Amino acid sequence: MTDHDALSREIRELAKERDAIILAHTYQRAEVQDVADLVGDSLGLAREAAATDASVIVFAGVHFMAETAKILAPDRTVLLPEPRAGCPMADMLTADQLRAWKAEYPGVPVVTYVNSTAEVKAESDVCVTSANAVAVVRSLDTQKILFAPDRNLGHWIARSLPDVEVVLWDGWCPTHEQVTPEQVREARGAHPDAVVLAHPECRPEVVDLADHVLSTSQMIRHVASSDAPEFVIVTETGIVHGLQKAAPGKAFHELAPRMICPNMKLTTLEKVRASLAEGLGEIDVDEVIATRARAAVERMVAIG
Ligand code: 13P
Ligand code: SF4
């Protein structure tokens, strides 16, 4: 039995005692994914948080994800095992900045990526994730939107919906932004038969080189249903664990160097155990902010 096995067993027992559900993002460490009740992307996990009967939600992910869970399940205790696990992209836009930006474009809907703070969501008309961004914006039936904070996902929406003018906030994900077209070309050269899957947080010139542009859950579904035996994966390395489980026997090649989100890697089994045992990392969202943010998130959940 490994150390991970013993810790995982202890965590499962604690979760039962505390009436807790453990949700893990697809970028988490493999052993943290394996101890979770559910592994998913930000949309799937938000939906699960809204639906769960458990008294406690342990969120193995980053701060905005746990905050979104609290917004959707205000009467549950939400724990983020590693409170320092933030998302630099979410911190690239404050509510004050958004209010000032909105004032320049009166009447234009504000569409916000869930990778944002509760205060920013509260100033938004609707949220999106990378899994539903295009569908949500299409459903607005509008000619112009403000999109924040991820300029790359905004580019992808604009490219997918040429009739919509997308005004972009200048935010980005450091992990996806640093990928270069050369890295993708190199991976293609090394694996000429592989299908290239990229996350829309990558820069447009990287997205242009992909065969498919997919959110993390869409990648997992894609590799399971595709006939292709080999893929180049252009997103955070944690997803490879889920891809291998979804499509055992297929080959998943990563870029060199591997893409790592340091914040996603802060959560360890030890921290999950401590959080459950001692109630550490409780997330709280101001009620007025939460009510306004909930409207934007629920509008998204209702659409797609
Ligand atoms: P997903 O919405 O695909 O889960 O992505 C979240 C994220 O943080 C990607 O960097
Ligand atoms: Fe934020 Fe990027 Fe990490 Fe996702 S991968 S949590 S967008 S820093």
Side-chain angles (χ1 to χ4, degrees), residues 25 27 62 64-65 86-90 113 115 172-176 201 236 261-264:
H25 190 264
Y27 295 165
V62 293
F64 77 81
M65 296 180 177
C87 168
M89 182 207 285
Y113 195 18
N115 298 36
W172 67 89
C173 160
T175 305
H176 288 80
E201 285 178 15
E236 212 274 348
C261 171
N263 284 283
M264 282 284 181

Side-chain angles (χ1 to χ4, degrees), residues 272-292:
V272 173
R273 177 185 54 188
S275 169
L276 263 170
E278 298 163 48
L280 299 178
E282 183 163 355
I283 297 289
D284 203 15
V285 183
D286 172 87
E287 233 174 271
V288 176
I289 302 274
T291 304
R292 294 177 61 204

Side-chain angles (χ1 to χ4, degrees), residues 25-27 40-45 62 64-65 87 89 113-115 128-132 150 173 175-176 199-201 214-218 235-236 239 261 264:
H25 190 264
T26 48
Y27 295 165
D41 66 351
S42 34
L43 179 61
L45 297 177
V62 293
F64 77 81
M65 296 180 177
C87 168
M89 182 207 285
Y113 195 18
V114 285
N115 298 36
V128 299
T129 72
S130 50
N132 63 17
D150 185 9
C173 160
T175 305
H176 288 80
H199 196 279
E201 285 178 15
L214 302 170
S215 75
T216 55
S217 60
Q218 289 167 342
T235 194
E236 212 274 348
I239 198 174
C261 171
M264 282 284 181

